[in-house]
Amino acid sequence: VELPTQSDQVHVLYAQPPAFGSELSVSLVDGETTIASTKASFTTHDGGQLVVAVIAERPEGIVGNLDLLPNPNQVAPAVVTLTPDDLPERVEAWGAIDRLIWQDVDSERLSSAQRDALRGWLAGGGRLVIAGGTAGPKTLSAFPDTMLPYRPAVTTDAPAASLAGLLGEIPATATTLPALSGSLIEGRSLASVGDQVVAAERAYGAGSVALIGFDPSVDWIAKTDTSGDLWRRLLPARTSGGLSFSDD
């Protein structure tokens, strides 16, 4: 660390918390001289608790509708709202996240190191759900074809009935939805309109990527039982062990 007089810098440090305790010591050392030292408090969550991160232009439209089931120990999933800047550049630090929802945020905001960490996290068992919204296909330009089940090319009007295989029983208030659509690259289609896929998922290593081209926060989905069924399908409970990134 080079710290000229009157400078102000931010450095990100990665640490693996001990099994017991609630503080880590952080020191700035020059040779054998400690220039400054402080304590950093931390909290670890239940190892069996599902942790869902939401990165969205309007996260409240998704967070409020994530009615997910508790784990066998009756611990409810933890839902946290993040921005692209919050995502770490080292894959080990992604180990605390089990599921990631992405909506209406430009993927180009991720650095190359963050994209590499994302792919490593997926390969290790992470699950990414990309949801459609008000933004167009360009927001997904930084996600490669090797990761996406299909590449959105156009917006297609999806009749509510075409989504029944994914949503289950369609409410009487349902209306046609605009959906990002394209041709299947790999994986399986969850919903389609004609020859255009509007929802699909694919495996990526031990993890998976689901792309839902329509906006799941519209009222006829979000304010009915359809929402709970959809998110429970897309965000399943953790299997024993979950993600594992060893201490390097």
Side-chain angles (χ1 to χ4, degrees):
V1 176
E2 294 184 4
L3 198 64
T5 302
Q6 296 183 337
S7 66
D8 184 7
Q9 299 178 9
V10 175
H11 295 269
V12 178
L13 305 179
Y14 294 91
Q16 185 171 12
F20 301 98
S22 59
E23 284 187 336
L24 294 173
S25 295
V26 182
S27 300
L28 179 63
V29 179
D30 183 9
E32 297 182 355
T33 302
T34 299
I35 298 173
S37 183
T38 189
K39 297 286 187 179
S41 298
F42 66 87
T43 301
T44 56
H45 66 88
D46 185 308
Q49 183 182 33
L50 185 75
V51 178
V52 180
V54 178
I55 296 180
E57 182 68 25
R58 292 182 297 278
E60 64 278 1
I62 291 179
V63 173
N65 298 308
L66 292 180
D67 183 18
L68 303 176
L69 298 175
N71 66 11
N73 296 324
Q74 298 305 304
V75 178
V79 180
V80 295
T81 301
L82 302 177
T83 69
D85 294 338
D86 295 322
L87 295 175
E89 295 190 334
R90 281 184 54 173
V91 67
E92 296 90 343
W94 285 66
I97 302 173
D98 299 302
R99 312 285 184 257
L100 174 61
I101 301 172
W102 188 285
Q103 183 190 44
D104 280 353
V105 175
D106 189 358
S107 56
E108 293 288 349
R109 292 177 58 183
L110 296 175
S111 68
S112 59
Q114 287 175 310
R115 297 174 203 175
D116 289 343
L118 169 60
R119 290 192 290 269
W121 172 77
L122 286 169
R127 287 176 177 261
L128 170 64
V129 177
I130 303 170
T134 58
K138 289 184 178 180
T139 59
L140 306 182
S141 59
F143 295 146
D145 286 352
T146 54
M147 193 177 84
L148 295 177
Y150 70 94
R151 170 65 61 186
V154 296
T155 299
T156 299
D157 287 337
S162 68
L163 307 177
L166 177 60
L167 300 179
E169 185 177 354
I170 301 297
T173 56
T175 58
T176 296
L177 295 178
L180 300 176
S181 64
S183 299
L184 188 68
I185 298 173
E186 187 173 314
R188 66 189 187 99
S189 172
L190 300 176
S192 61
V193 177
D195 61 352
Q196 293 291 298
V197 176
V198 296
E201 63 181 355
R202 69 178 291 179
Y204 190 97
S208 68
V209 178
L211 175 50
I212 309 302
F214 56 89
D215 184 359
S217 65
V218 296
D219 284 352
W220 71 261
I221 296 177
K223 295 183 179 180
T224 66
D225 293 339
T226 304
S227 178
D229 294 340
L230 172 65
W231 289 118
R232 290 171 191 173
R233 176 174 181 175
L234 297 175
L235 305 172
R238 290 182 57 184
T239 56
S240 59
L243 288 90
S244 177
F245 298 104
S246 61
D247 181 9
D248 64 356

